[in-house]
Structure formats: C-alpha cells, structure tokens
C-alpha cells in the first residue's frame, strides 16, 4: 500500500490527466478500480473525485462537438466515446467494490447519480446500453444495500451525511428520475427505461426498493403498452415476463393488470410474442 500511496498513485494521476493522448488515459483507466482499491482511504476519495471530474470534462466536450461543423459527422457527435465507455465501466466496478459502501458523503452519491443520468443520454448506443444494463442497476443496488451500521466513518475527511433517511430519499428521487424516461418523447429513453428494469429484476429486490418498485416502477412500465415503437413494446413484454417471476412480492391486482397487458401485447404483436 505504501508503494501505491507514494509512487504509483502519482503516476496513475499523471496518466489520467494526460489530455494530449486519450489512448494513454484509456489504458490507465482500464485498471482504475484495481488501483484505487489498493490506495489509502483519502486517496480513494481523491481518485473517485478525479474520475468524476474527468467524466464531466469528456461529456461536456462531446456536447460541444454536437454543435460544431465537422467532415466526420459521426465523430463530431460521439467524441471519444471509448473514453466515456471506459469511465462507465470503472464507475460500475467501483460501485460494486466493498469499500464504496463505506462512503458516508451524500454529495459523492449525488455526483454519481448525475453521471448515470447524463450517460443514459449518451449519443453512442454502447455507452447508454452499458449504463442501462450495469451502471444504473449497480448504483441502485448500492443505495439499497448500504445500512446505517455499516457507515464506519473509515473515510475521516468526509462529511458523514449519508444517514438512512438521506439514503432512502436519494433512492426515491433517483427512481423517480428514471421513471420519467418512460414518458419521454424520445424512444431511446423509453427503451433504456425497460432495459434498466430488466436488469434490476435479475437482482434481488428488497427493503425500500421493493416498496418503490411496486408503487412507481410497475405503473410506469404499464404506461408503455401502446408505445408506437415496436422495440419498446418488445422490451416491455420481456420486462413484464420478469416482473411476473416476482409474483410473491406484489398484490394479486397487480399480477392481474400485468397479465392483461401481456395478453393484449400478444394479440397485437403475434409475430414476436414468444420471444
């Protein structure tokens, strides 16, 4: 740990800050989670903040390119999407690591939440697909798995503001933001919403998330029954199939409503109902 703290950490930060060559940053970033785990607690937080800052710089750069004239239209819209993709991968790995659940600062969680919502609108399909299938579900799972007694204040320099109530409030606000995708005028957002739900249902629901799921998420899913885009309806059908596997967790009236929607989807889309 001393070697990482005094020698390799400086080199690692230098590579991440190397704006002249994105390939160098990507190569260093590929190992970010493994390196951060070996650092001292205060350096872990510093590194996470550096990755957050780097993502915002790369993201804003991409947004700027969307309004610039370029012979390569594809690049002008996407920017260096591999860098953003790699960042999303590393954020996901960090969230799923053991030390992340010990962070007691609600501000850091809010920063990560903001990044997931920005990444969900990424112009490159690979990036927002990774966000929907792994990044967002990992963060939601992280918010539900943190328990108050686990906040051991190992990160002494932080503001210990992530209480159980704040955690619950963050989770509800986050889920509400994601559910807004279901009523978006952009079909890619509606598709992403269904993909997030499919990924969530592959995990164990519990506690606050289980309550929110049946209060908010299922209602938002059912709103997509008559979506004009067939891919959205197909993802909806797959999501409802997974929801029905959780029938022991919700009221019979909800089960009946889901069954009725699935029946109507089958009748209207006979070519793909068995998928």
């Amino acid at each position: 740990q001393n070697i990482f703290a005094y020698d390799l950490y400086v080199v690692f930060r230098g590579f991440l800050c190397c704006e002249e060559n994105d390939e160098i940053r990507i190569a260093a970033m590929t190992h970010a989670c493994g390196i951060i785990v070996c650092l001292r607690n205060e350096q872990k937080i510093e590194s996470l903040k550096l990755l957050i800052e780097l993502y915002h710089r790369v993201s804003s750069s991409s947004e700027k390119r969307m309004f610039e004239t370029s012979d390569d239209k594809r690049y002008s819209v996407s920017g260096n999407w591999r860098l953003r993709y790699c960042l999303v991968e590393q954020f996901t790995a960090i969230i799923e690591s053991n030390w992340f659940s010990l962070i007691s600062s609600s501000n850091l969680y809010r920063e990560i939440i903001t990044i997931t919502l920005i990444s969900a609108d990424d112009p490159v399909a690979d990036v927002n697909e990774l966000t929907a299938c792994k990044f967002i579900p990992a963060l939601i799972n992280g918010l539900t798995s943190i328990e108050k007694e686990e906040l051991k204040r190992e990160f002494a320099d932080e503001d210990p503001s992530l209480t159980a109530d704040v955690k619950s409030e963050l989770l509800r606000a986050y889920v509400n933001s994601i559910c807004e995708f279901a009523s978006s005028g952009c079909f890619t957002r509606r598709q992403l919403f269904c993909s997030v739900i499919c990924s969530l249902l592959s995990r164990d629901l519990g506690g606050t998330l289980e309550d929110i799921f049946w209060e908010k998420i299922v209602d938002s899913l059912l709103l997509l029954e008559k979506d004009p885009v067939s891919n959205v309806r197909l993802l909806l059908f797959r999501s409802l199939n997974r929801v029905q596997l959780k029938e022991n967790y919700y009221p019979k009236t909800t089960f009946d409503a889901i069954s009725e929607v699935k029946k109507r989807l089958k009748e209207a889309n006979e070519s793909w109902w068995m998928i």
Side-chain angles (χ1 to χ4, degrees), residues 60-71:
S60 62
S61 174
S62 174
E63 290 173 5
K64 182 180 178 182
R65 287 192 182 100
M66 293 178 69
F67 299 99
E68 293 178 346
T69 302
S70 171
D71 293 333

Side-chain angles (χ1 to χ4, degrees), residues 2-3 10 17 41 55 66 111-112 130 133 137 169 182 194 215 225 244 249-250 256:
N2 287 334
I3 294 175
V10 177
C17 297
N41 290 336
Y55 179 87
M66 293 178 69
E111 290 277 5
I112 300 293
L130 180 63
C133 296
E169 179 185 336
C194 292
E215 289 173 10
E225 177 188 352
Q244 283 193 315
Y249 295 95
Y250 54 83
D256 292 341

